[in-house]
Amino acid sequence: MNKTETAIVVGGGIGGAAAALALAKVGIKVLLLEQAHEIGEIGAGIQLGPNAFSALDSLGVGEVVRQRAVFTDHISMMDAVDGKEVVRVETGPEFQARFGGPYAVIHRVDIHDAVWQAALKNPLVSYKTATRVVDLHTYENGVEVIDEQGNRYRADVLVGCDGGKSIVRAKTLNDSPRVTGHVVYRAVVDKDDMPEDLRINAPVLWGGPRCHLVHYPLRGGAQYNLVVTFHSRKPEEWGVTDGSKEEVLSYFEGIHPRPRQMLDKPTSWRRWATADREPAASWGTGRVTLLGDAAHPVAQYMAQGACMALEDAVTLGEAIKACDGDAVKAFELYQSVRIPRTARIVWSTREMGRIYHADGVERQVRNLLWKGKGQQDFYRGMEWLYGWKEENCLEPR
Ligand SMILES: Cc1cc2nc3c(=O)[nH]c(=O)nc-3n(C[C@H](O)[C@H](O)[C@H](O)COP(=O)(O)OP(=O)(O)OC[C@H]3O[C@@H](n4cnc5c(N)ncnc54)[C@H](O)[C@@H]3O)c2cc1C
């Protein structure tokens, strides 16, 4: 038997922190390498489905995250043109009983910190910041990564958690991203700056022609997370640049005054031009695999990118247990269940983007799609997504 003793994790985002924790929990010594000077997250919010809570419980941090999260009353979609409600899914006790966990929203810093602090408490986890990985080699008995300064690090296996522009993926798969042409602006505002009629205890999505807006509370309602997205008129390159309020306003001219109030609130105007990738048939061979956005970058329309990274980490740990500590064998098992599930998320997300951004007749059809459906119909449709648990994580779903 080939028991794996050491792993390198590249990247210290939510995915890397969760991977380090999951690997250490099965007895593997982890060195996490992060290019930034500090390990942390950006100041924005994130939505967490019950599947994320199952993963967080499995990692042993569910309670800490629950204490910091806001549990929502429902998830709603509104029509941004006429201001009417299109669909509302209740996320109260019935939803929670059905899926075994809540629907919640949380500040990214709060969830990242919960996972990372738990990883740091495990003596098997060490890390190095200001360490940008630029190359890697695999050998019969191990892997080696090289950082920008030329330092070399060796371990039995390597997990690339280095985000959408992953160097580990580039060296392993060398595929190209698919730039969506959709641009995102996001901000966190204090409660007092949030229009009173938008202070709703729910993620509310306003779908408009070639655009949408989202808002939800953070930190007990003391803050609100705002996200606006639109189809750019010009060719975009994947990445973050400076934008302007004028640009944003120009894309939301035809929408209802109620969601439009959101556009006056942010004070910083950074724009994210987004991308995903066509799902790959493999995330690496032998001693290298990928996790989180490095494995399956996805647009934000189903709010599942980080949830999937957490599921990945738990599944990786469970696969290693199932393979008696042999991570090389476990990587194959891990990929065999994670690739189809995350591909489904990527493709479903593209479809949701189309639905949210519908115009004309498509918008009319969109608004009729869910008419007459009861809560149980919605719950049935969500089962494949939110019904994920550690106990079933090695089964295809
Ligand atoms: C607008 C928006 C809203 C979203 N909303 C949600 C939501 O509501 N719910 C949800 O589940 N998901 C959401 N997501 C998706 C979620 O943010 C991502 O899927 C998740 O953060 C990915 O985590 P990660 O750790 O895989 O990657 P990242 O967070 O990108 O972390 C990668 C880390 O690797 C480091 N790194 C990169 N290259 C190197 C290198 N060469 N060497 C060393 N270190 C390196 C980076 O510095 C970074 O720290 C949203 C995304 C966007 C854009």
Side-chain angles (χ1 to χ4, degrees):
M1 194 193 53
N2 295 309
K3 202 161 167 36
T4 302
E5 288 175 3
T6 56
I8 291 172
V9 168
V10 183
I14 291 172
L21 180 54
L23 290 168
K25 278 167 86 74
V26 294
I28 294 177
K29 195 171 171 201
V30 179
L31 172 62
L32 184 145
L33 303 174
E34 166 59 49
Q35 65 182 1
H37 286 268
E38 278 180 30
I39 292 184
E41 255 290 350
I42 61 160
I46 203 164
Q47 303 179 46
L48 299 173
N51 55 323
F53 280 94
S54 296
L56 291 162
D57 285 338
S58 170
L59 293 169
V61 295
E63 277 319 306
V64 186
V65 173
R66 277 178 179 81
Q67 281 162 24
R68 298 174 182 180
V70 176
F71 302 119
T72 62
D73 298 332
H74 51 91
I75 311 168
S76 290
M77 179 175 171
M78 312 285 290
D79 184 316
V81 176
D82 62 18
K84 290 186 179 149
E85 187 171 273
V86 179
V87 63
R88 172 184 291 224
V89 180
E90 301 295 340
T91 55
E94 208 178 337
F95 175 94
Q96 294 177 23
R98 168 125 190 183
F99 298 114
Y103 200 92
V105 284
I106 189 167
H107 199 290
R108 280 169 183 265
V109 170
D110 296 343
I111 179 173
H112 181 277
D113 174 73
V115 180
W116 183 232
Q117 291 307 322
L120 286 182
K121 277 195 193 125
N122 192 311
L124 292 177
V125 176
S126 62
Y127 70 98
K128 211 168 161 230
T129 51
T131 303
R132 195 163 85 85
V133 170
V134 292
D135 206 355
L136 59 103
H137 302 292
T138 55
Y139 303 103
E140 208 184 313
N141 60 354
V143 292
E144 183 179 58
V145 304
I146 302 160
D147 73 16
E148 219 171 9
Q149 285 80 36
N151 300 309
R152 291 165 184 266
Y153 309 85
R154 288 200 70 139
D156 295 338
V157 295
L158 168 62
V159 186
C161 306
D162 46 342
K165 293 187 175 175
S166 165
I167 184 75
V168 179
R169 185 174 182 125
K171 297 284 174 187
T172 314
L173 305 184
N174 194 26
D175 58 349
S176 301
R178 175 184 159 280
V179 179
T180 60
H182 299 185
V183 170
V184 177
Y185 280 72
R186 48 187 166 179
V188 174
V189 299
D190 287 338
K191 179 183 171 186
D192 291 345
D193 293 326
M194 187 68 176
E196 264 183 62
D197 61 341
L198 296 180
R199 291 182 203 165
I200 301 167
N201 187 34
V204 180
L205 185 146
W206 299 80
R210 301 169 70 75
C211 67
H212 76 271
L213 309 90
V214 175
H215 53 84
Y216 52 81
L218 297 173
R219 293 182 166 157
Q223 297 179 319
Y224 282 81
N225 191 60
L226 311 179
V227 186
V228 301
T229 304
F230 56 80
H231 293 207
S232 178
R233 295 182 199 103
K234 56 182 192 199
E236 294 290 341
E237 271 181 43
W238 189 11
V240 188
T241 51
D242 283 327
S244 69
K245 183 173 177 177
E246 291 66 41
E247 181 191 29
V248 176
L249 290 177
S250 76
Y251 282 95
F252 290 87
E253 274 166 2
I255 68 163
H256 193 271
R258 196 168 162 216
R260 216 180 134 79
Q261 304 171 85
M262 268 178 65
L263 304 177
D264 289 325
K265 300 303 161 195
T267 49
S268 145
W269 296 95
R270 299 280 285 163
R271 75 199 291 282
W272 278 261
T274 63
D276 64 13
R277 289 180 192 269
E278 213 44 69
S282 161
W283 292 341
T285 48
R287 296 179 177 275
V288 181
T289 195
L290 303 171
L291 184 148
D293 276 10
H296 41 74
V298 61
Q300 79 276 19
Y301 310 141
M302 285 175 73
Q304 278 289 324
C307 300
M308 286 297 125
L310 294 166
E311 286 189 8
D312 288 346
V314 170
T315 308
L316 189 58
E318 291 302 304
I320 293 170
K321 277 195 227 162
C323 295
D324 296 323
D326 182 345
V328 178
K329 218 165 127 195
F331 284 178
E332 276 182 39
L333 176 58
Y334 159 76
Q335 293 183 30
S336 74
V337 286
R338 295 310 297 166
I339 287 176
R341 176 157 172 87
T342 54
R344 187 169 176 183
I345 297 284
V346 172
W347 287 325
S348 305
T349 293
R350 289 182 191 168
E351 206 45 46
M352 289 315 283
R354 177 175 170 187
I355 290 171
Y356 294 159
H357 297 170
D359 195 7
V361 179
E362 234 185 8
R363 169 179 161 242
Q364 291 174 302
V365 173
R366 189 265 319 271
N367 290 357
L368 289 170
L369 263 183
W370 295 291
K371 218 176 173 160
K373 283 205 171 169
Q375 294 297 308
Q376 294 307 324
D377 299 316
F378 290 121
Y379 295 168
R380 254 192 306 282
M382 292 168 163
E383 184 65 48
W384 72 275
L385 180 55
Y386 297 147
W388 182 95
K389 304 253 174 313
E390 178 198 288
E391 305 86 85
N392 61 29
C393 76
L394 294 176
E395 294 162 17
R397 308 181 53 85

